[in-house]
Amino acid sequence: MLIEIRRLVPFLLILASLASSPARAQCPSWSASFGNGQGVDPAGNGEAYTLAVFDDGTGSALYVGGHFHGIAGVAADRIAKFDGTSWSPLGTGLQGVNGAWVQALCAFDDGNGPALYAAGNFTTAGGVPVSNIARFDGSSWSDVAGGIAGGNVYCMAVFDDGSGPALYAGGTFSSAGGVPAHSFARFDGTSWSEPGAGVLGVVTTLTAFSDANGPALFVGGVFNNVGWGTPLFVYVNRCARWNGAQWSDMDGGMLDDNAGGVYASTRFDDGTGPALYAGGAFDVLSASFPFEGIGRWNGFFWSPLGSGIDVGVGGSSGVVLSLASFDDGSGPALYAGGSFTLAGGQPVQHVARWNGSSWSGVAGGTDGSVKGLVAFDDGVHGAGLYAVGPFDNAGGVPSTKIARLDACASNGTTFCAGDGSATACPCGNSGAVGHGCANSVDPGGARLSATGTASLAADTLDLVGTQMPNAAVLYFQGTTQQNGGMGTRFGDGLRCAGGVIVRLGAHVNAGGSSHHPSAGHASISQAGQVTSPGVRTYQCWYRNASPFCQPSTFNLTNGTSVVWSP
């Protein structure tokens, strides 16, 4: 049993010791938390547009792209990295003839190792000639097979159509790698191609998801036709589903009398199962529901989220520009950002939270639009939701164009669940909300939670694993969230805890459950060698029946992040 978990170690990166976690006055609450708090380009008219989490080989970090020349007092051209303590540039950054900007960031392994791809409108990256898209391997920039020409790139996503993972890009362009590509292109690691004869219009958001009809790529924007002039042609409204071979309409799509569009999308489980969520500027969904701004796709039809987000007719009073899932300590929720001021009929300020049944404001919101959102645990401050946009304050805290929503301190915060909110489970075996991937005895998947107190002075923390087979189980600790909290496929489940892995103790489940530490075991802080305050991550590896999903005969719970106090 221990052999498999020991094999984790060579594949994980060892991070520096975690710094102290700051006290939190209220939760959730906004903070600047960025070096000296100067924010994005405070002396100029720069702005941040997009966020992503990526591990360049030195640990997971937050990356920010946009149109700026500095952040938190550090010179950085259009892109910067935050490691939880300080900001740094990515070489000499990105430049263009008539200005330049980064509109999209995406991590992708093209066969030569994981890399961060930046896209938008620029002609050089780190001094290397490129065309609107570039690859950063952690130390240097490079061209991406000739790049994209004839317009701008607005979004990227990784999708596997059955022939292997590929990077997809959307925007307003006309070619990619020298071949025609109408606003939609695919990079397989070597060359570009145009999937499905492209899109007649503007593509602004892409999200890979799997519904009752199988894996697909959601394509949203401002368009009414896909596959124009070919047998693949389909008439759609602002969105379409691409499965790697053909296009399909999505229950009539989104309608608006004033040419609104779909600008944001993500996967999320609101408690009724994993689904795709899309937001933008529209006032009718599926030609039948008179509501605004946001909708949920279950594989067959769209449905509203309460009365939706009031973006006004044609988006005149606002628009949904970003979506992300985040657990602020009170459970997983969907966060929407944009320029709106009403959600579910309730006053909000540019950001709102959907808990599966109702909308609420988010700690006072921001005083300007929110264009980008991403959840990230930087290993210093604990779990947080990062936001960027043209605002100066968040919740009354001075936060120039970038801010962080701190989660409530708790015994444990769930992350990397196999419910569709993180990396997809290995063979479509999604579990229940907040659980790991489904196993041979429980379709809801195994669940890891924490009780007691995570204090170095008085450690009573107890890890509780449930809904597992009555077989061997190993509790282990990490120092980071694997793959930025999204996890990576491992056996029948997802590996969530990353960084320095420490074996805490082995047990045999009874009644599908166990806990650690039990009688005869050292406390978790002792076994895990936790000697200073900060964040640690926890997970259970357990035996699973064969055959069930993958040839490997093991699975894992969700991950749990714990903030240790003095």
Side-chain angles (χ1 to χ4, degrees), residues 292-511:
E292 298 185 72
I294 191 166
R296 177 184 186 274
W297 173 257
N298 67 358
F300 301 101
F301 54 84
W302 292 98
S303 59
L305 277 64
S307 59
I309 293 177
D310 182 11
V311 295
V313 177
S316 59
S317 67
V319 60
V320 176
L321 297 170
S322 53
L323 294 170
S325 59
F326 175 61
D327 187 343
D328 66 4
S330 58
L334 178 70
Y335 286 74
S339 59
F340 51 84
T341 55
L342 285 174
Q346 303 297 313
V348 297
Q349 290 297 317
H350 308 118
V351 60
R353 179 183 185 274
W354 171 254
N355 66 3
S357 60
S358 63
W359 288 99
S360 61
V362 180
T366 62
D367 64 353
S369 299
V370 173
K371 294 186 175 181
L373 289 169
V374 72
F376 175 55
D377 188 333
D378 59 26
V380 176
H381 308 91
L385 181 69
Y386 289 78
V388 293
F391 52 80
D392 295 311
N393 289 275
V397 177
S399 308
T400 308
K401 301 162 188 170
I402 184 167
R404 169 194 163 89
L405 182 72
D406 290 318
C408 304
S410 66
N411 289 334
T413 301
T414 297
F415 72 98
C416 178
D419 56 14
S421 60
T423 296
C425 290
C427 48
N429 56 320
S430 296
V433 178
H435 292 227
C437 300
N439 58 51
S440 61
V441 300
D442 197 317
R447 170 75 173 151
L448 178 66
S449 58
T451 62
T453 302
S455 167
L456 298 180
D459 177 9
T460 61
L461 188 67
D462 189 39
L463 300 174
V464 181
T466 59
Q467 296 172 254
M468 295 179 280
N470 289 332
V473 56
L474 177 67
Y475 288 76
F476 63 99
Q477 171 188 281
T479 53
T480 65
Q481 294 187 4
Q482 181 73 12
N483 191 23
M486 299 298 285
T488 53
R489 294 175 181 176
F490 188 54
D492 293 345
L494 301 177
R495 191 176 75 226
C496 302
V500 179
I501 296 297
V502 177
R503 175 187 181 278
L504 298 176
H507 301 269
V508 176
N509 291 315

Side-chain angles (χ1 to χ4, degrees), residues 16-232:
S17 297
L18 299 179
S20 297
S21 179
R24 297 168 183 176
Q26 70 177 80
C27 66
S29 60
W30 293 98
S31 65
S33 297
F34 308 112
N36 57 18
Q38 291 185 34
V40 176
D41 211 7
N45 59 357
E47 189 179 330
Y49 301 141
T50 185
L51 299 148
V53 176
F54 172 64
D55 188 339
D56 66 1
T58 60
S60 293
L62 179 72
Y63 291 78
V64 179
H67 177 67
F68 55 81
H69 300 291
I71 187 165
V74 175
D77 228 3
R78 278 81 178 191
I79 190 167
K81 171 187 175 182
F82 181 61
D83 63 5
T85 302
S86 60
W87 288 94
S88 59
L90 275 64
T92 56
L94 310 167
Q95 298 82 33
V97 176
N98 297 309
W101 62 86
V102 174
Q103 194 76 41
L105 296 169
C106 186
F108 174 59
D109 188 339
D110 63 6
N112 296 304
L116 181 70
Y117 286 72
N121 186 298
F122 48 84
T123 55
T124 63
V128 177
V130 297
S131 182
N132 300 323
I133 186 169
R135 177 183 186 273
F136 185 72
D137 63 5
S139 60
S140 61
W141 290 96
S142 59
D143 172 63
V144 182
I148 294 174
N152 305 322
V153 183
Y154 294 139
C155 54
M156 292 186 289
V158 176
F159 171 59
D160 188 343
D161 63 7
S163 60
L167 180 71
Y168 287 74
T172 59
F173 47 84
S174 57
S175 67
V179 300
H182 299 86
S183 301
F184 186 49
R186 177 182 186 271
F187 178 62
D188 63 5
T190 302
S191 60
W192 291 95
S193 61
E194 182 184 48
V199 175
L200 188 61
V202 183
V203 177
T204 53
T205 184
L206 299 169
T207 294
F209 71 104
S210 183
D211 59 21
N213 299 301
L217 182 67
F218 173 80
V219 182
V222 185
F223 55 86
N224 298 110
N225 299 301
V226 291
W228 177 258
T230 74
L232 293 172

Side-chain angles (χ1 to χ4, degrees), residues 248-322:
S248 58
D249 172 58
M250 300 179 72
D251 190 30
M254 286 72 164
L255 305 177
D256 185 90
D257 294 335
N258 293 286
V262 177
Y263 304 121
S265 56
T266 194
R267 299 183 302 272
F268 175 64
D269 189 334
D270 66 359
T272 60
L276 174 83
Y277 290 75
F282 46 83
D283 51 22
V284 178
L285 195 61
S286 305
S288 58
F289 293 105
F291 61 90
E292 298 185 72
I294 191 166
R296 177 184 186 274
W297 173 257
N298 67 358
F300 301 101
F301 54 84
W302 292 98
S303 59
L305 277 64
S307 59
I309 293 177
D310 182 11
V311 295
V313 177
S316 59
S317 67
V319 60
V320 176
L321 297 170
S322 53

